[in-house]
């Protein structure tokens, strides 16, 4: 458990490509779930960065997934609304301590007692939460400062780019697995939007729409060291 420095076989190319993919995909995900949880976007980004760093440095498996989750974000809404973000930090630390204790006492084996329908329902419920969280990307701020659904050309481009991204992720692995399909989709669609100057919203546009009017012009996702 405490053998932190070990010699393991590794593939530098796969490690680098997977790291880049996760880094690019985690930004919009962390921002979206931060708004779901009722905290500032930068809090979500800092939290995602620290979780990824700690997991990769002292994680117990060669490949471990860690990042923002819809299940946690939904649970945190009431906590943040009633007690503030300070209690959220305390709850996260307590959750980490409980997980450490479960590992020390080898309580993970008891997950076998959970019925499969419960696991299936949880995973599908989480998929619905994640899907609903993305619908906010299809809303824009109107002249009255209210959010409304996209219309016209902007909506068509948005749907087309979403379909293209999904098609690349689904079809590329059938042709080659030399590079992650998600990374190819992100890079391809991003270059297409900026290269052709397409009318498409970015992550920062989504952030600005959810902020008060006096904070939109100064909104940024640029982080800095304390």
């Amino acid at each position: 458990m405490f053998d932190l420095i070990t010699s393991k076989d590794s593939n530098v190319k796969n490690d680098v490509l997977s790291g880049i993919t996760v880094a690019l995909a985690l930004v919009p995900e962390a921002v979206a779930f931060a708004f779901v949880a009722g905290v500032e976007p930068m809090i979500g980004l800092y939290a995602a960065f620290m979780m990824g760093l700690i997991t990769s440095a002292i994680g117990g498996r060669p490949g471990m997934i860690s990042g923002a989750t819809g299940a946690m974000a939904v649970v945190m809404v009431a906590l943040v609304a009633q007690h503030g973000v300070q209690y959220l930090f305390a709850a996260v630390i307590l959750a980490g301590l409980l997980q450490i204790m479960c590992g020390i006492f080898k309580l993970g084996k008891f997950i076998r007692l959970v019925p499969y329908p419960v696991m299936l329902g949880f995973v599908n419920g989480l998929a619905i939460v994640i899907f609903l969280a993305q619908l906010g990307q299809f809303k824009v701020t109107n002249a009255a400062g209210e959010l409304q659904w996209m219309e016209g050309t902007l909506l068509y481009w948005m749907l087309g780019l979403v379909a293209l991204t999904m098609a690349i992720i689904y079809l590329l692995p059938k042709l080659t697995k030399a590079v992650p399909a998600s990374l190819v989709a992100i890079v391809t669609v991003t270059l297409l939007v900026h290269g052709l100057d397409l009318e498409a919203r970015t992550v920062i546009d989504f952030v600005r729409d959810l902020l008060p009017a006096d904070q939109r012009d100064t909104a940024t996702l640029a982080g800095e060291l304390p």
Side-chain angles (χ1 to χ4, degrees):
M1 173 181 174
F2 296 100
D3 187 11
L4 301 181
I5 302 177
T6 58
S7 178
K8 298 185 179 72
D9 295 333
S10 63
N11 187 310
V12 176
K13 178 184 76 71
N14 290 343
D15 290 345
V16 171
L17 290 177
S18 62
I20 295 174
T21 303
V22 173
L24 293 176
L26 199 59
V27 172
E29 181 184 43
V31 170
F33 286 145
F35 278 112
V36 173
V39 298
E40 296 180 2
M42 290 309 301
I43 293 179
L45 290 176
Y46 279 127
F49 166 75
M50 292 304 300
M51 290 177 66
L53 178 63
I54 294 173
T55 301
S56 61
I58 61 176
R61 297 176 180 272
M64 182 176 292
I65 299 174
S66 182
T69 65
M72 291 296 294
V74 173
V75 173
M76 292 173 180
V77 173
L79 178 64
V80 174
Q82 296 177 13
H83 303 288
V85 71
Q86 296 84 356
Y87 280 81
L88 172 60
F89 295 153
V92 171
I93 294 175
L94 178 59
L97 293 176
L98 291 175
Q99 287 185 326
I100 292 175
M101 297 302 294
C102 288
I104 293 176
F105 293 105
K106 302 183 183 301
L107 300 180
K109 58 186 177 183
F110 290 106
I111 194 66
R112 293 177 296 183
L113 300 177
V114 179
Y116 178 73
V118 174
M119 299 292 294
L120 189 63
F122 175 82
V123 174
N124 282 277
L126 180 58
I128 295 174
V129 170
I130 295 175
F131 172 77
L132 293 177
Q134 307 311 309
L135 294 181
Q137 306 282 353
F138 289 87
K139 291 184 178 182
V140 294
T141 305
N142 58 20
E146 300 175 347
L147 289 176
Q148 66 176 23
W149 294 103
M150 292 180 180
E151 297 178 350
T153 306
L154 182 61
L155 176 61
Y156 301 146
W157 276 119
M158 188 76 166
L159 293 174
L161 294 173
V162 169
L164 176 60
T165 303
M166 295 174 65
I168 293 175
I169 293 175
Y170 177 74
L171 297 176
L172 185 62
K174 299 180 181 297
L175 301 177
T176 178
K177 295 183 179 180
V179 292
S182 299
L183 178 60
V184 174
I186 293 172
V187 173
T188 300
V189 175
T190 300
L191 292 177
L192 186 65
V193 169
H194 291 283
L196 300 180
D197 195 23
L198 300 180
E199 186 180 4
R201 286 162 50 81
T202 62
V203 176
I204 192 63
D205 294 327
F206 172 71
V207 173
R208 287 169 178 161
D209 284 345
L210 297 179
L211 290 175
D214 58 339
Q215 300 180 15
R216 290 173 185 166
D217 294 336
T218 59
T220 180
L221 292 176
E224 59 182 12
L225 296 175

